Amino acid sequence: MLKSEFAPAKINLTLEILGRRSDGYHELRSLVAFAQDVGDVVELASGSLSGVEITGPFAGDISGSNLVDSAIAAFAEKVPGAAPNRLSLVKNLPVASGIGGGSADAAATLRLLSSAYPEVSEPDLLTMARVLGADVPVCIRARPVMMTGVGETLDEVALPHDLYAVLVNPLAGVPANKTSQVFASLGAATLAGTPSKEPTPRFSRIDDVIAYAKARGNDLEAPALRLLPIIGTVLADLRRLENGLLSQLSGAGPTCFTLFKTRSEAEAGALALRLRQPSWWIRPTRLG
């Protein structure tokens, strides 16, 4: 019987880079949400096919080993003999796009493999996830959180149910080391000490989310724009959409988003943008 796990797109509603730590990693603070109906799918089934089969519209953009392979290896190390006979990835999200596609795929793989091993707990999965990358732990839970440290501290946040977005990626070519180039261009200052922990924000209304996200922004937006100027075109087009509340970059880009109060407004915005930019990847979704 086919088993599957949804790997939702991860959206950085905010991304503050607080400085570079003595170990070379960057201290961050990010309000993270997940698309409820936009993402990849990892499937597990019986069969004799070895390795990971990749299908979907962006399958051709993945070459060599990927985080799904790494997740399988990490799980097999924890649970010997647990490697699947057949595992496939339906790649619906653009690659290297700032919405955590690879990390979400790895997290979904760990969740899927653990479904057959009840002795593997969520803390076990988080331990495996931390080895795979800074964004993998937040994708294990795939729920709204305030993410701090280097991604290891996750405080759950309640978002209003009726928070919608249009996600847009211009499908422009990005360098393989995009994220490292963006961070290098940012040139974050060295941290003098451990940043003080802020209280976890509370959001009663969408307006609270908008006000918070607008005030915090995304510190990677300016350096990402220098590397990929087309991000400026995307943001300008998004800011023209009727009923759009806030438009920002997610992660290191180039995917950007605009927030809306209703699904119909988000869908209308996506349709209007597709008419202007038919070659772009454009998806309306609810965030949660």
Side-chain angles (χ1 to χ4, degrees), residues 35-202:
Q36 298 301 290
D37 51 7
V38 177
D40 296 333
V41 178
V42 181
E43 298 175 337
L44 177 66
S46 59
S48 58
L49 181 67
S50 61
V52 178
E53 178 185 17
I54 304 176
T55 62
F58 295 101
D61 295 336
I62 298 178
S63 58
S65 62
N66 56 72
L67 278 176
V68 171
D69 295 312
S70 300
I72 293 171
F75 194 89
E77 184 175 348
K78 176 70 177 178
V79 185
N85 292 326
R86 181 181 179 188
L87 193 147
S88 64
L89 169 65
V90 183
K91 193 64 187 168
N92 298 315
L93 299 176
V95 175
S97 57
I99 50 177
S103 297
D105 297 341
T109 299
L110 292 177
R111 292 196 305 272
L112 185 60
L113 295 177
S114 71
S115 64
Y117 298 89
E119 70 273 20
V120 178
S121 65
E122 184 179 272
D124 292 329
L125 293 182
L126 289 170
T127 298
M128 298 178 214
R130 291 186 187 105
V131 176
L132 299 174
D135 272 348
V136 182
V138 71
C139 293
I140 287 288
R141 294 174 176 170
R143 297 191 294 267
V145 298
M146 184 60 64
M147 180 171 64
T148 54
V150 293
E152 80 282 8
T153 303
L154 306 171
D155 296 314
E156 290 200 20
V157 174
L159 291 178
H161 179 79
D162 51 347
L163 181 63
Y164 296 88
V166 172
L167 312 180
V168 178
N169 188 296
L171 300 182
V174 298
N177 60 345
K178 172 204 67 180
T179 301
S180 62
Q181 285 195 47
V182 169
F183 272 99
S185 179
L186 174 67
T190 301
L191 281 172
T194 303
S196 58
K197 183 174 175 61
E198 290 188 351
T200 302
R202 295 178 180 274

